[in-house]
Amino acid sequence: RDRYQRRVHGRCDEHGNVDVDDLEQKAKLHSDNLAALMITYPSTHGVFETSIQHICEIIHEHGGQVYLDGANMNAQAGLCRPADIGGDVCHLNLHKTFAIPHGGGGPGMGPIGVKEHLAPFLPNHPLVPGGEQGFGTVAACPNGSPSILPISFSYTAMLGPQGVKKATQVAILAANYLRTRLSDHYHVLYADDKGWCAHEFILDVRPFKKTANIKAEDIAKRLLDYGIHAPTLSFPVADTLMIEPTESESLMELDRLVEAFIQIRKEIADIELGRTDPLNNVVKNAPHPAKVLTGDWSYPYSRELAVFPTAYVKANKFWPTIGRIDNVFGDRHFQCTCPPMDAYA
C-alpha cells in the first residue's frame, strides 16, 4: 500500500488463468474506487486466456482502465493488437520481441502506448509538447534512448509486417514443439483447454525434490554441462523452469535442447531407482568445468558422463568456467566495500 493507491490481488484458477468470478466480485466491491487492472497477455503462465476481453469489460464496467503488460508481445506482434483486446494502456518491452538484449538486466526500453481518450494526460516536456493535462516531465529524453531505439526500428523495418507476423508465429510454434516433445518426460504445468501454450511454457520439476532430491536449480546447473544456458528459473512459479524459445532458434537447436532435457530426465530416473547416490551424482555436482576434469577424480561416475553426456556435446563442447557455487551466499552475507571514513577527509 502506498500513499494514493491500494493493490488488490486476484486469484488464479487451477489452470493458471484469472479467476473471473473472483475478479468480478472484487471489481464490484471496489467499484467506487477502482482505478485500473494490470494484466499480462498472454499470461506469464504461457497461456492465451480466452476470457481476456471479458476481463477487460468487467474493469471498464466499474470505471477502471486496463493496463496491459506488453512483456509477452512475442506472442502478439503481427497477430493481434492490445487495444482490440481491451487494453487502455500498454507498454512494449523492446527486449526479446524487438531485438533488444534481455540478459544482465538490460539495456531496457518500454515505449508506452495509450488509447485516444488518455492522450491528454500524457507527460509534458520542455522541448516536446505532451498532453494538454499532462502532469510534468518523467524522462530527460522524451523519445527514449537514441542508442537503443534505432535497433528495434531497424529490426521491424527490415522484417516488415509479414516478417513480424511470421516471427510471432514461429515463436509460438517453437514453444509448442518443445512442449509436445518434452511432455512425455516432464509435467507441463499449464496449457489451454486444447493442450496448447503460447510462446512459453512451464516445466514443473517440483516432484523431483521428493523422488530424487533434485531441484530446478540442479537441472539448470546440469544444462551447463550440455552447453546450454538454463531457461528462466523459479519464475513465475517457484522451483520450476519456464522455457521461452522465441523465433530465433533453429530446429537443430530446439532438438539439442530436447535431447539435453531427456538425458537429464534419465539421470534423475537413475537417482529415483537407486542406481546412483542421491547426494553425490552427476546432476547434484553439476556443472563440471575443465579444472575438475583434469584434477583428481573422486566422483562415483565417469568423466565422460560428466562432461560429454551426448555425441553433440563431445564434438561441440562449451566449457563452463566454474563449478557449483552457492547462489544466495552473497545475498545472505553482505560485505561493505566502502572505503574507510578517512578516505573522505
Side-chain angles (χ1 to χ4, degrees):
R1 184 174 186 152
D2 59 30
R3 184 177 177 185
Y4 301 108
Q5 297 179 337
R6 182 163 66 91
R7 294 183 298 275
V8 177
H9 295 271
R11 295 178 180 174
C12 288
D13 62 21
E14 61 182 2
H15 302 294
N17 298 312
V18 172
D19 186 328
V20 177
D21 291 336
D22 174 71
L23 176 68
E24 196 155 18
Q25 291 175 11
K26 289 174 177 173
K28 290 178 180 178
L29 179 63
H30 300 281
S31 186
D32 293 341
N33 301 298
L34 180 57
L37 168 76
M38 182 173 180
I39 188 169
T40 304
Y41 182 79
S43 73
T44 311
H45 290 152
V47 178
F48 285 104
E49 298 208 35
T50 56
S51 58
I52 183 65
Q53 290 182 310
H54 180 47
I55 290 170
C56 295
E57 290 170 358
I58 291 172
I59 300 303
H60 291 148
E61 287 173 4
H62 293 275
Q65 301 290 289
V66 176
Y67 187 107
L68 195 76
D69 176 7
N72 291 339
M73 284 301 294
N74 199 201
Q76 285 194 66
L79 296 180
C80 57
R81 303 188 302 179
D84 295 338
I85 293 169
D88 300 293
V89 183
C90 181
H91 76 262
L92 303 177
N93 289 358
L94 297 188
H95 60 252
K96 300 182 296 180
T97 308
F98 298 102
I100 298 302
H102 193 197
M109 281 293 298
I112 299 175
V114 302
K115 279 188 173 178
E116 188 174 0
H117 68 282
L118 293 177
F121 305 99
L122 290 174
N124 307 111
H125 191 275
L127 302 179
V128 179
E132 297 174 358
Q133 302 178 56
F135 52 86
T137 301
V138 297
C141 188
N143 293 322
S145 169
S147 64
I148 294 177
L149 291 174
I151 300 172
S152 296
F153 173 79
S154 300
Y155 173 73
T156 53
M158 288 187 287
L159 279 179
Q162 291 304 313
V164 170
K165 179 179 179 180
K166 184 176 181 180
T168 300
Q169 291 171 326
V170 172
I172 296 172
L173 179 64
N176 278 283
Y177 174 76
L178 292 177
R179 180 200 59 79
T180 301
R181 291 209 56 195
L182 291 175
S183 59
D184 289 337
H185 307 275
Y186 296 84
H187 173 57
V188 177
L189 193 55
Y190 298 117
D192 65 17
D193 55 2
K194 295 181 180 178
W196 301 109
C197 64
H199 66 304
E200 60 191 9
F201 62 97
I202 300 171
L203 291 184
D204 187 2
V205 298
R206 292 173 295 182
F208 299 148
K209 175 63 178 176
K210 292 183 178 180
T211 63
N213 191 36
I214 293 297
K215 300 184 294 184
E217 179 184 352
D218 298 318
I219 298 173
K221 302 290 188 185
R222 180 57 173 155
L223 282 169
L224 293 173
D225 287 328
Y226 287 80
I228 295 172
H229 190 287
T232 302
L233 175 66
S234 286
F235 180 84
V237 180
D239 211 23
T240 64
L241 294 167
M242 184 172 71
I243 300 177
E244 182 179 3
T246 76
E247 72 285 351
S248 57
E249 304 296 343
S250 66
L251 181 60
M252 184 188 76
E253 283 294 294
L254 297 179
D255 286 337
R256 188 165 75 89
L257 178 68
V258 169
E259 182 184 27
F261 266 108
I262 292 175
Q263 286 298 117
I264 293 173
R265 180 64 185 94
K266 292 178 180 178
E267 294 167 357
I268 295 173
D270 285 340
I271 303 171
E272 293 171 325
L273 296 172
R275 296 169 182 163
T276 55
D277 190 307
L279 299 177
N280 188 9
N281 57 72
V282 73
V283 182
K284 270 294 182 186
N285 294 329
H288 300 81
K291 182 179 180 180
V292 174
L293 180 68
T294 56
D296 293 333
W297 191 259
S298 59
Y299 299 121
Y301 47 86
S302 69
R303 287 180 170 88
E304 183 173 13
L305 177 63
V307 302
F308 299 129
T310 66
Y312 179 90
V313 175
K314 197 168 187 177
N316 303 275
K317 182 63 180 179
F318 180 88
W319 290 96
T321 57
I322 194 170
R324 179 72 68 107
I325 62 172
D326 185 344
N327 287 349
V328 299
F329 183 89
D331 296 331
R332 295 175 178 172
H333 298 80
F334 293 112
Q335 295 185 18
C336 181
T337 57
C338 304
M341 291 305 296
D342 56 13
Y344 297 96

